[in-house]
Amino acid sequence: STLIFTIRHLSILSCMMSVHPDDFSSLSNPQQISVKDLEWDALIDFDSQVLQGSVKYTFQRNDLKSNRLCLDTNHLTIYEVADDKGNFLDYILHPVSKSHLGQLLDITLSPETVSISVQYSTTPQSSALQWLPPSQTGGKVHPYLFTQCQAIHARSLFPCQDRPGVKFSYTARMTSPSWSTCVMSALLQKT
């Protein structure tokens, strides 16, 4: 079954938070280019204990000279990056320099690019995903998945600017087995 969730309004207080350039918990660059809206589409694969998905990012250029969108990742496999016209974009998934920060996904943008999409999957090592076998659930029949993105684990769910000062609206479309129920901190739009 597929569920679609949407958050379109952020609290004024959280939008007023500033992005500090010396945030040592992130490799991202929201001072130059900041994500404003995210469309996340994912298939939950309980057998492989991974999410397979795509994320579309709409962003704002805070520095008009910048042509690099830098996103935090950790234990993700990146398959491709494309612009809003379907053109493949060059990117580098940098090696891990500090294990707690994961890897920098460095995407080269053309001046006219206003949104991009990233095809990716998580891995069984993605720290935001907690997979429980049926034996650890109340009914003992089906496995269970929950996510925990604090403090800097969202980067292991999908590539993002994983900083407390970065806020954006999002839409999520989750496809899960028919026996499961998917919930998140958003309003259910349709099933």
Side-chain angles (χ1 to χ4, degrees):
S1 63
T2 300
L3 301 176
I4 301 172
F5 299 89
T6 303
I7 286 194
R8 285 287 169 218
H9 303 287
L10 300 173
S11 73
I12 292 171
L13 179 61
S14 61
C15 284
M16 292 171 51
M17 296 177 69
S18 64
V19 176
H20 194 279
D22 294 329
D23 184 341
F24 300 109
S25 66
S26 175
L27 300 169
S28 64
N29 67 335
Q31 311 91 314
Q32 285 82 36
I33 299 176
S34 55
V35 172
K36 293 301 173 191
D37 186 64
L38 182 141
E39 295 177 30
W40 181 33
D41 194 345
L43 169 70
I44 302 169
D45 184 340
F46 280 91
D47 293 331
S48 300
Q49 295 189 342
V50 297
L51 302 182
Q52 300 171 3
S54 66
V55 183
K56 178 182 176 188
Y57 306 86
T58 303
F59 50 83
Q60 172 182 309
R61 292 178 191 255
N62 302 316
D63 176 352
L64 298 178
K65 296 176 186 172
S66 182
N67 70 339
R68 296 174 51 230
L69 173 61
C70 296
L71 301 173
D72 295 303
T73 76
N74 198 8
H75 296 291
L76 299 180
T77 302
I78 307 300
Y79 299 111
E80 67 183 43
V81 179
D83 66 15
D84 49 332
K85 295 174 180 68
N87 301 311
F88 294 114
L89 299 176
D90 292 331
Y91 68 89
I92 299 169
L93 188 59
H94 291 273
V96 173
S97 60
K98 294 182 180 178
S99 60
H100 69 284
L101 294 179
Q103 293 179 271
L104 168 64
L105 176 59
D106 189 342
I107 303 165
T108 304
L109 306 171
S110 65
E112 60 277 355
T113 303
V114 294
S115 68
I116 63 160
S117 62
V118 176
Q119 303 292 323
Y120 80 101
S121 68
T122 64
T123 65
Q125 294 77 34
S126 295
S127 59
L129 303 172
Q130 307 298 313
W131 302 90
L132 301 180
S135 63
Q136 291 184 319
T137 66
K140 312 265 187 243
V141 176
H142 299 292
Y144 183 79
L145 167 64
F146 69 93
T147 60
Q148 176 64 36
C149 292
Q150 297 173 5
I152 58 170
H153 297 287
R155 65 190 70 191
S156 73
L157 197 55
F158 53 77
C160 60
Q161 293 176 326
D162 198 4
R163 296 171 170 228
V166 174
K167 307 296 180 190
F168 51 82
S169 58
Y170 73 91
T171 300
R173 181 185 333 264
M174 301 284 107
T175 302
S176 62
S178 59
W179 50 261
S180 66
T181 300
C182 183
V183 296
M184 65 177 55
S185 62
L187 302 174
L188 179 62
Q189 293 234 301
K190 58 184 173 180
T191 58

